[in-house]
Structures are given as C-alpha cells and as structure tokens.
Amino acid sequence: MPDPLLQMTGLDAHYGDFQALYGVGMVVREGEVLAIIGANGAGKTTLMRSVTGLITNDAGQIRFKGQDISGLRADQVAELGLAMVPEGRQLFPSLTVEENLLIGAQTGRKGPWTLEAVNALFPILKERRAVPATALSGGQQQMVAIGRALMSNPELILFDEISLGLAPIIIRDIYAALPGIIGEGMSAIIVEQDISKALSVSGRVYCLQEGRVSLEGASATISREDISRAYFGIE
Amino acid sequence: MDWLNALIQGTLLGGLYALFAAGLSLIFGVMRLVNIAHGDLIVLAAYLGLVVTSAIGVHPILAMALVVPAMTLIGYALQRGLLNQTLGDDLLPPLLVTFGLSVILQNGLLEGFSADPQKLSAPGLETASVALGSISLGVLPLLTFGIAVAVIWGLQWTFYKTSLGRAFRAVSDNQDIAQLMGLNKRHIFGLAMALALAVTAVAGILLGLRTSFDPSSGGGRLIFGFEAVIIGGLGNLWGTLAGGVILGVAQTIGAKIDPGWQVLSGHIAFLVILAIRPQGLFPRMSG
Ligand SMILES: Nc1ncnc2c1ncn2[C@@H]1O[C@H](COP(=O)(O)OP(=O)(O)OP(=O)(O)O)[C@@H](O)[C@H]1O
Ligand SMILES: [Mg+2]
C-alpha cells in the first residue's frame, strides 16, 4: 500500500502548560475526504494548527507525502501543498477581495485553480473584487476564504468549521459546492460541529474528545449511538 | 511677504521631516516595531555619504547610488539577524534593543569620526536658488521636497499596487494567516526594514547637505520623525508628508517670531494636535 497522504502518530500539542492533544493518530489517504467532529474545546482547531505548522510539534508526529513536517514553519508546509480555510474565515481586512484571493497564490503552486477559476465558481467575488474583504456578508467572506485556500492548488485542504455563524441556506449552498471543489484530485479534512453535515460529505470520520481520538469509522455506516457516546463522553 | 516666505520654507523643510518619518511609519505599520535607533541610522547614512564622497570624490547626490543599496542591505541583515528575535506579543523588547542599538551606533560613530560636526558639501547646489516673485527658493530645499514627494508616492505605490505591498499589508493584518499563505514573515519583515533604511539613506544624505551633523544628531531627527508620523496619523503615508509639512511650517513660523523658538514651536504644534486629535489628522486609510 502506498504511503498515506497525511499521517499523524502520537501527536501531542501544548499551549504553555496546558496540553490540548494527547497522542492523536490519524491518516488521510489520497483522494479521501475525512471528517473530524467533536465538541467545543475538543482540540479540533489545535489539530489543524499543528498540521499546518502554526504550532510546531516534536519530530516524527506529522508526515505529509512521506516527509516529516512536524517542525516546519507554516509557509514551508503551504509550499508542500497543504492549505487551510481557518475557523472564523480570518480574511485580511486591509486587502480587497481580489487581493485576498491573490495572496492565496503566493506559494506559486500551479494547477487548475486560478483567479479566473475561483471567480467562475463564485461569480459574486468578481463583481465585488475591489471592496475590502471584510465589507462582504458572512457567506461571501466564506467564499473568499475558500477561494483563497484553493488558489494555492493544494493537495490537501483543511476546512475548519466553515458553517460557523452562517445562515442555514448559505451553509447548504456552500456544502452543495464542496464536492465540485474537492473533486479536482484533492483530499480534504472537514472539521464540523454539525455532525450530519460532516458525515454527508465525508468518507471516513474521526471523533475527538478532550484531545484524544474517541471514535473512528466509515461515515456511511457509523452508528449514531457510538457517535453521541464518543462526542459527549457519555457512558 | 515675510510670512509667506516662512510658510514656503517651512513646507519645503517638511519634506525632509517626512523622509525622516516615512521609514519609521513603514516599520511600525508592518511589524509594530518602534525603532528608537531610527535617527541614528539616518546619521549613519549621512556618514556613509561622507565616506563615499571623500573616498571617490563624487557629488553627495550621486553617492546615494552606493549609500542606498548599502543601507538596504544593512536593513535586511539587521532585521533578520537581530530585530526579528525581539518581536512578539510584548512591545518592550524591541524598544530596549533598538535603544541599545542607538547607543552602539552613536559610540561607534564617535570612535570612527570623532565628535566634530561634519557636512556634505555640494558647492553649487547649496547656494543655488530660484526667484519666485520677491521670494527666493533654495534649489536644495526644492529638490529635497521633490524627492520626498517622489519617495512617498513610491512607497504608496509599493504598498497598494505591488505583490510586495500586498504581503506587507497581509503580514501587518494577521501574521499567522499570512504565514499560512506561504509568506515567511521573517523575510517580509526583513524586506520592510530594507525598504525603510533605503528611505533613511536618502534622508541622511539630504540631511547632511542641509545642515552639519555629528554622532549625537540622531535623537533630534528621531523626535521630528515621530512628531511627523503622529501628526499625520499612523499608517497613512500621505498623512506623514502632511505631518512633516505642518511640523516644518510650525518651526519656521516660530523662528520668525523669535529665532530661539524654532524647535519649541514645532513641539508645541505637535502637542496641540496630539491633544485635539490623538489619532492624528489623517488616520489609517487605504490607497
Ligand atoms: N491560544 C490558546 N491558549 C491556551 N489554550 C488554548 C488556546 N487555544 C485553545 N486552547 C485550549 O485548547 C483546547 C482545544 O481548543 P481548540 O480550539 O482546539 O478546540 P476546538 O475543538 O477547535 O473547539 P471549537 O469547536 O470551539 O472550535 C481548549 O481547551 C481550549 O481552551
Ligand atoms: Mg475550533
């Protein structure tokens, strides 16, 4: 079997004295869409920050395409083909919509995603290209955040709670667009609190609870009971 | 007519102050670093100009062709080698380190060049003037002002129309997310300091042409730079030019009333504006 695209082994993460992740192990295979679910404070965002290099980890804990990336800086990880749509969107307020998208292309990675392609996916962004990104509605800002991540033509894209703070109808539209986005030979990790949304777009799912993996399984067959036990820690 | 003259001379002087301020403003805008050594770096540039002009006998303006690249390299090396290590959530370490750097620069210059005042000389340029009605305008102040406008325009263009400027603004907005986009903030900070010191090099040469300088001249330039930045409003380069002009005009008007009041009236104008509009006259806006 070929190396998995991304592999975490015994991943620990700390904020000062506080330990947020305890020996997490996960794999993402090429072309796979993985969901990570878990309650508030379970460590989902911490996991994303570790993988993308915003938190540095001890050697050997994270491998991407067979290479140990645990100690790399976030810009080095980005250049290898890993992108993230961060929690809360986090657009650059001093940059226009178009500049936010263009900065996503900073790594210079070539592929199907160009400014034209993102504008074709989300036509409203072309219309509003010259306004400051933070002047857009929440849903449009999320489109910019997704487009910005796509612009680096990543092999693996991480979505951290893309439905957070958005109206249900907008969430539905964004999830409807996801398969088309991920379809282009990309793998994805989707972090969500909305379990049914997460299961509907993913092949496999991991559940995090207080910094540990509490459940793993195929999204189609995993039982709801097991999930609520793993999610809330109810025995 | 005398007052009009003072107004015009003050405006032209303001161009020099804007050049002192531009690098300070750029550095604070991109990385929230307050560079206490900024004035001493201006003086260092003036001394580099002195070395170049006396070593190869070129005109001080032409010496910029060597001093600007030299200061650019010094800026990048200084940032990567020293200042990046001081940046973090706490504003104090960079303040202390640049204060130390200021002391080191002053003492280094004292060792190398003694405390004697020096001047860059350009005989034709210093005395040349053009008449405008009954007012006589010095060619050097006019040139200085023209260069200041060109430099501010160039910085503004860089900030808002180039990918480097986009990177500066992105890193300034959110360092983590900028890093996620593939920008190495340490390198971007290095480029920002390089650009700031390139401007400082120009300012230093023009300072040396206008007045004499010695190793302890930096502090005063730092204060004028700070005042121009604060008057104009943080993060606005055209505001910085306006701030320099207001400071320059306040000084020449003050000097007109009583020659001893030149510097004092600049400080008073600064304090008045700070009291009325603490955010400066033209706070941050986009291009
Ligand atoms: N910067 C920080 N400093 C200290 N502790 C932090 C920090 N960020 C997160 N934590 C703690 O780490 C734990 C995991 O937080 P994390 O943000 O990864 O959770 P999460 O699963 O993403 O939660 P949510 O669903 O609310 O986004 C929490 O207990 C949180 O309080
Ligand atoms: Mg989170």
Side-chain angles (χ1 to χ4, degrees):
Chain A
M1 199 157 51
D3 270 347
L5 184 62
L6 179 76
Q7 179 160 31
M8 295 163 236
T9 21
L11 175 63
D12 292 334
H14 304 261
Y15 295 105
D17 288 340
F18 176 77
Q19 186 163 1
L21 294 178
Y22 298 85
V24 169
M26 288 188 188
V27 289
V28 184
R29 304 199 180 285
E30 219 145 302
E32 185 175 45
V33 178
L34 189 77
I36 299 178
I37 58 176
N40 279 318
K44 307 181 295 294
T45 297
T46 305
L47 185 85
M48 303 282 103
R49 292 175 61 84
S50 294
V51 170
T52 52
L54 288 175
I55 300 176
T56 48
N57 300 92
D58 291 343
Q61 297 189 342
I62 309 169
R63 302 182 76 80
F64 182 57
K65 296 191 285 186
Q67 180 184 345
D68 185 1
I69 61 166
S70 318
L72 294 188
R73 294 189 311 261
D75 58 304
Q76 298 170 319
V77 173
E79 266 163 29
L80 292 175
L82 219 152
M84 171 157 77
V85 181
E87 188 174 3
R89 305 183 274 277
Q90 308 213 40
L91 302 181
F92 299 107
S94 308
L95 271 56
T96 63
V97 167
E98 186 166 292
E99 286 176 327
N100 266 279
L101 293 175
L102 287 173
I103 210 146
Q106 194 73 38
T107 54
R109 293 174 52 86
K110 298 280 173 273
W113 291 106
T114 57
L115 190 59
E116 289 70 42
V118 171
N119 281 334
L121 178 67
F122 301 121
I124 185 75
L125 300 187
K126 181 164 191 187
E127 218 170 279
R128 312 215 60 195
R129 64 179 177 278
V131 307
T134 42
L136 299 183
S137 72
Q140 292 167 356
Q141 287 191 33
Q142 193 59 273
M143 293 173 194
V144 179
I146 293 172
R148 185 177 67 175
L150 290 173
M151 288 288 284
S152 69
N153 287 295
E155 288 173 54
L156 175 61
I157 184 167
L158 277 41
F159 297 93
D160 194 353
E161 301 208 34
I162 43 176
S163 54
L164 196 72
L166 298 183
I169 183 159
I170 310 276
I171 299 176
R172 210 186 54 204
D173 287 352
I174 285 183
Y175 270 87
L178 269 192
I181 293 168
I182 302 169
E184 315 256 348
M186 236 186 258
S187 310
I189 300 181
I190 296 180
V191 166
E192 264 304 342
Q193 296 216 22
D194 182 334
I195 297 168
S196 54
K197 275 272 164 336
L199 295 180
S200 71
V201 289
S202 61
R204 265 182 333 121
V205 60
Y206 286 93
C207 188
L208 275 184
Q209 188 197 322
E210 291 176 9
R212 294 179 173 85
V213 174
S214 55
L215 183 68
E216 180 204 341
S219 304
T221 56
I222 201 157
S223 94
R224 289 295 165 132
E225 256 171 56
D226 289 348
I227 289 181
S228 33
R229 200 176 305 126
Y231 199 93
F232 299 110
I234 302 165
E235 288 305 316
Chain B
M1 223 47 196
D2 273 4
W3 293 99
L4 183 62
N5 186 40
L7 192 70
I8 293 175
Q9 306 300 348
T11 303
L12 298 184
L13 176 61
L16 185 61
Y17 293 165
L19 285 175
F20 293 166
L24 211 51
S25 172
L26 193 154
I27 290 307
F28 184 80
V30 173
M31 61 186 104
R32 303 288 176 275
L33 179 133
V34 176
N35 184 4
I36 301 291
H38 189 74
D40 305 294
L41 289 161
I42 293 172
V43 175
L44 172 67
Y47 275 105
L48 288 181
L50 190 68
V51 170
V52 170
T53 48
S54 56
I56 53 176
V58 293
H59 192 283
I61 296 285
L62 288 180
M64 281 184 193
L66 285 176
V67 178
V68 170
M71 290 299 287
T72 303
L73 289 178
I74 290 173
Y76 189 82
L78 181 66
Q79 188 67 38
R80 292 299 301 253
L82 178 68
L83 298 176
N84 270 339
Q85 279 70 283
T86 70
L87 293 175
D89 295 333
D90 192 353
L91 280 174
L92 200 56
L95 271 180
L96 293 176
V97 169
T98 55
F99 181 74
L101 184 64
S102 160
V103 174
I104 292 170
L105 279 171
Q106 288 187 25
N107 283 289
L109 290 173
L110 198 60
E111 276 298 314
F113 297 94
S114 84
D116 297 341
Q118 304 282 352
K119 196 159 176 319
L120 296 177
S121 77
L125 186 59
E126 286 160 300
T127 49
S129 64
V130 291
L132 194 80
S134 62
I135 295 170
S136 147
L137 295 176
V139 170
L140 180 61
L142 274 175
L143 181 69
T144 303
F145 191 79
I147 290 175
V149 172
V151 164
I152 299 278
W153 182 87
L155 288 176
Q156 188 81 9
W157 181 81
T158 305
F159 249 73
Y160 291 100
K161 298 281 186 260
T162 69
S163 61
L164 178 64
R166 199 162 66 212
F168 283 158
R169 283 178 289 140
V171 171
S172 166
D173 278 350
N174 189 327
Q175 296 185 9
D176 275 358
I177 303 296
Q179 195 98 23
L180 268 187
M181 298 297 134
L183 294 167
N184 180 6
K185 66 181 179 193
R186 293 174 172 275
H187 175 62
I188 301 294
F189 289 164
L191 294 177
M193 187 56 89
L195 184 58
L197 290 205
V199 174
T200 299
V202 173
I205 301 264
L206 292 171
L207 168 75
L209 278 167
R210 187 183 177 102
T211 58
S212 59
F213 54 91
D214 62 65
S216 66
S217 302
R221 311 313 118 186
L222 175 70
I223 298 287
F224 293 159
F226 265 135
E227 291 182 341
V229 173
I230 308 274
I231 292 173
L234 277 175
N236 181 342
L237 288 160
W238 288 117
T240 298
L241 180 63
V245 166
I246 289 170
L247 188 63
V249 168
Q251 288 190 358
T252 49
I253 301 263
K256 178 112 203 56
I257 298 167
D258 180 329
W261 286 9
Q262 174 167 356
V263 172
L264 180 66
S265 50
H267 294 331
I268 290 173
F270 163 71
L271 286 174
V272 168
I273 289 170
L274 191 62
I276 304 173
R277 265 182 82 86
Q279 73 274 43
L281 296 177
F282 315 96
R284 189 182 193 124
M285 55 165 201
S286 58

